[in-house]
Amino acid sequence: MKVFISYSLNDVEQYILSILAKRLKEQGDVVSTGYNTISTFQNNQNLSQINNSNLFIGLITASGNANNNVIIEWQHARGRKIPSLLLIEETVSIAPQYKNDPN
């Protein structure tokens, strides 16, 4: 399975991404991660990789600086009917429309 991971983590939390990617690869999954920048080229690359994925995983933490990018990519995955998981740290305030979303 092709898995795309979008993340908003600070440098200290990067180990979370490494552990998750390692576990997925141990299961035989192909993992790609996004580039969280304002570069249009890199954002288009992310969307292309999402389009070719079988699963989207988004990681959002309170100390991350790319939360909006992760949300945009998650919405893109959902719009393409790609199964997705959005994992949000408990201390992050989220907009009401994303709480308890059954889709």
Side-chain angles (χ1 to χ4, degrees):
M1 177 175 1
K2 293 179 184 177
V3 180
F4 182 87
I5 303 174
S6 179
Y7 60 93
S8 181
L9 305 167
N10 67 28
D11 291 341
V12 175
E13 298 167 328
Q14 291 291 319
Y15 73 93
I16 295 168
L17 179 62
S18 298
I19 291 169
L20 178 59
K22 180 182 176 193
R23 297 291 170 125
L24 290 166
K25 288 177 183 178
E26 287 172 351
Q27 294 180 167
D29 296 319
V30 176
V31 177
S32 59
T33 60
Y35 300 98
N36 289 318
T37 69
I38 58 171
S39 163
T40 303
F41 174 73
Q42 288 181 332
N43 286 339
N44 287 339
Q45 279 187 318
N46 289 355
L47 298 181
S48 177
Q49 288 180 351
I50 292 168
N51 292 344
N52 293 316
S53 296
N54 306 104
L55 176 65
F56 174 92
I57 300 174
L59 303 172
I60 295 178
T61 63
S63 59
N65 59 2
N67 292 350
N68 288 335
N69 289 355
V70 176
I71 293 289
I72 290 167
E73 291 173 352
W74 171 69
Q75 290 172 329
H76 178 79
R78 290 189 53 204
R80 305 279 291 179
K81 305 286 190 224
I82 297 167
S84 59
L85 299 170
L86 185 60
L87 306 172
I88 303 172
E89 186 177 27
E90 193 173 21
T91 58
V92 174
S93 67
I94 57 174
Q97 68 263 28
Y98 300 123
K99 291 183 179 184
N100 299 317
D101 184 357
N103 295 318

